[in-house]
């Protein structure tokens, strides 16, 4: 098989990936930037156009017009292998399977939402908070729809404001963290440049929407689809009739490709990096929320640092490590403030489905002591999502370590597996 070597491949075209691709290319390297989504932008800039005003439009335009950057959308890394000098990624796309080789890889795979099971969570109308946001950015008409936003983290506010902007009726934002913790986060955020303006804009967008801190999701109810959600505030239960429950309990770094490459993780389950965003595997860097949840500004900064390091332009860093230090402190406050509190989390009943791909229920799982034993005996995590949804849930529910990452990361058509992978050459 012919092998083609790229100078650098960036996996993930969100803010971190876009910035690192641009910075690496400015160092004179040829860069392949690939993403599973059809277009670049990642979660926060999904659907943004290169021509539009603001930071997203500028960065997208700079990447799209840089002659040393090739952007490949609809291309998902499903296997990865670290070599001595050259690493190999296997990528699936409409064109079939491809093998891509590079001496430098920057992982910017972002994060996914953490879902926790409760009675009724599989009803149509119960969706991830960021997921509903993404669907509305993608064209779902939410005008006049009654939405309850629940779970934990500042993303709930961004989602609520975004949905309201699109015409939804947001009935309440229910946050599991207590009010003092949320207030501490607000103070820390206000100290970061630009954040107080962002917070004011969010507050203006949510004027009149009740924000209930210390509030737990109890159940979602409905016959064939969601009709109401019951929340617990203190000792009182409140039931709200609604069309959507947008729910998510924070974000989980998407470390699957990093795990296949053998990159060590830190204690919080994010990719461990040094001050130059280098992972424990030579030639592999990581940036953005795959290294810890910290928002778009941190993702851009880390993308810049990773691009400077991968492209050999350390002199461009100036005070970036100092700013990255500030971001990391903000990240730590975020983590502390929205730490999940068992008493405020949904309590599944024995019949609640935990693994929805394989229909495995809480009652079948709670007797096991670890992920592997549960998986072998119940098929939990062996369905289409390969544990991407139920893995983090079982960590929170049962304290297991979810270590089930194996290639291929998603089910593939047999025809693709039977074909000899083609290679993708630099221009
Ligand atoms: C569902 C969701 C919705 C969000 N919505 C908002 C919002 O509305 N407002 C807000 O302020 N913040 C939002 N956030 C948080 C926001 O994503 C971060 O603040 C920031 O954008 C992180 O940037 P990033 O570049 O690290 O990752 P992301 O923007 O998440 O980009 C990661 C990219 O990597 C790609 N990827 C992952 N794995 C692979 C693979 N194996 N192969 C190829 N590509 C891969 C993904 O498709 C994705 O495009 C959201 C997060 C999530 C998870």
């Amino acid at each position: 098989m012919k092998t083609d070597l790229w100078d650098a491949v960036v996996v993930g075209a969100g803010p971190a990936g876009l910035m690192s691709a641009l910075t690496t290319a400015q160092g004179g390297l040829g860069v392949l930037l690939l993403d599973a989504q059809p277009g670049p932008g990642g979660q926060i800039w999904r659907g943004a156009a290169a021509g539009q005003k603001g930071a997203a439009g500028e960065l997208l335009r700079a990447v799209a017009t840089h002659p040393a950057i090739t952007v490949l959308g609809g291309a998902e890394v499903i296997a990865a292998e670290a070599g001595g000098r050259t690493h190999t990624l296997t990528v699936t796309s409409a064109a079939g399977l491809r093998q891509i080789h590079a001496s430098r890889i920057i992982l910017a795979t972002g994060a996914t939402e953490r879902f926790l099971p409760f009675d009724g969570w599989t009803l149509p109308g119960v969706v991830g908070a960021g997921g509903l946001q993404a669907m509305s950015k993608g064209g779902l008409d939410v005008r006049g729809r009654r939405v309850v936003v629940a779970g934990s983290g500042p993303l709930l506010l961004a989602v609520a404001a975004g949905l309201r902007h699109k015409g939804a009726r947001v009935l309440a934002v229910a946050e599991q963290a207590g009010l003092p913790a949320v207030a501490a986060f607000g103070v820390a955020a206000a100290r970061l440049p630009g954040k107080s303006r962002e917070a004011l804009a969010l507050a203006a967008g949510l004027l009149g929407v009740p924000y209930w801190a210390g509030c737990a999701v109890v159940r979602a109810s409905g016959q064939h689809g969601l009709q109401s959600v019951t929340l617990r505030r203190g000792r009182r239960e409140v039931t709200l009739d609604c069309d959507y429950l947008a729910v998510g309990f924070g974000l989980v770094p998407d470390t699957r490709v990093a795990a296949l490459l053998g990159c060590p993780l830190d204690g919080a389950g994010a990719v461990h990096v040094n001050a130059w965003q280098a992972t424990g595997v030579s030639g592999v860097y990581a940036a953005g929320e795959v290294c810890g949840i910290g928002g778009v500004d941190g993702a851009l900064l880390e993308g810049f640092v990773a691009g400077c390091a991968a492209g050999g332009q350390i002199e461009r860093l100036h005070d970036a490590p100092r700013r990255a230090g500030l971001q990391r402190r903000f990240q730590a406050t975020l983590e502390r403030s929205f730490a999940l509190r068992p008493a405020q989390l949904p309590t599944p009943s024995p019949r609640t489905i935990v693994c929805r791909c394989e229909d495995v229920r809480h009652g079948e799982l709670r007797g096991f002591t670890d992920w592997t034993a549960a998986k072998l005996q119940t098929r939990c995590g062996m369905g289409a999502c390969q544990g991407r949804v139920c893995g983090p849930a079982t960590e929170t529910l049962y304290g297991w370590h979810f270590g089930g990452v194996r290639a291929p990361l998603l089910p593939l058509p047999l025809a693709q597996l039977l074909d000899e992978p083609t290679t993708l050459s630099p221009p």
Side-chain angles (χ1 to χ4, degrees), residues 144-360:
R145 308 310 297 244
R146 298 160 305 167
V147 185
V148 174
V149 181
S152 194
L155 178 60
L156 300 186
L157 293 172
V159 168
L163 293 172
R164 207 172 183 216
H165 180 69
K166 296 263 184 180
R169 282 174 55 204
V170 179
L171 305 183
V173 177
E175 165 62 59
Q176 64 85 39
L179 198 54
V182 174
F185 171 74
V187 172
R191 289 203 191 112
L192 282 179
K195 284 283 176 203
S196 40
R197 212 174 326 126
E198 202 180 306
L200 283 176
L202 262 186
L206 288 171
L207 218 59
V209 175
Y211 182 79
W212 296 334
C215 184
V217 178
V218 178
R219 78 186 79 84
S221 310
Q223 281 250 301
H224 304 293
L226 177 72
Q227 289 171 328
S228 67
V229 54
T230 301
L231 305 167
R232 193 179 60 247
R233 298 184 66 199
R235 292 187 180 180
R236 217 158 48 89
E237 285 197 354
V238 184
T239 297
L240 299 173
D241 291 343
C242 57
D243 304 302
Y244 287 110
L245 169 60
V247 62
F249 292 85
L251 300 176
V252 185
D254 185 347
T255 56
R256 294 171 305 148
V257 180
L260 295 179
L261 286 167
C263 303
L265 304 186
D266 64 19
V271 175
H272 177 74
V273 286
N274 67 13
W276 317 117
Q277 301 300 131
T279 70
V281 176
S282 172
V284 180
Y285 301 81
E289 294 207 318
V290 70
C291 307
I293 308 306
V296 61
D297 297 334
L300 287 168
L301 184 59
E302 290 183 6
F304 176 71
V305 174
C308 286
Q313 316 161 77
I314 299 298
E315 71 287 352
R316 286 185 65 194
L317 285 172
H318 303 299
D319 72 337
R322 185 192 63 80
R323 288 189 289 136
L326 278 179
Q327 278 292 341
R328 268 190 288 277
R329 279 210 289 282
F330 169 70
Q331 212 166 298
T333 312
L334 177 77
E335 226 169 83
R336 259 197 322 275
S337 303
F338 294 98
L340 298 181
R341 303 186 302 164
Q344 292 304 109
L345 298 183
T347 322
S349 71
R351 289 201 46 77
T352 307
I353 287 176
V354 175
C355 166
R356 58 195 299 178
C357 298
E358 295 289 327
D359 278 356
V360 186

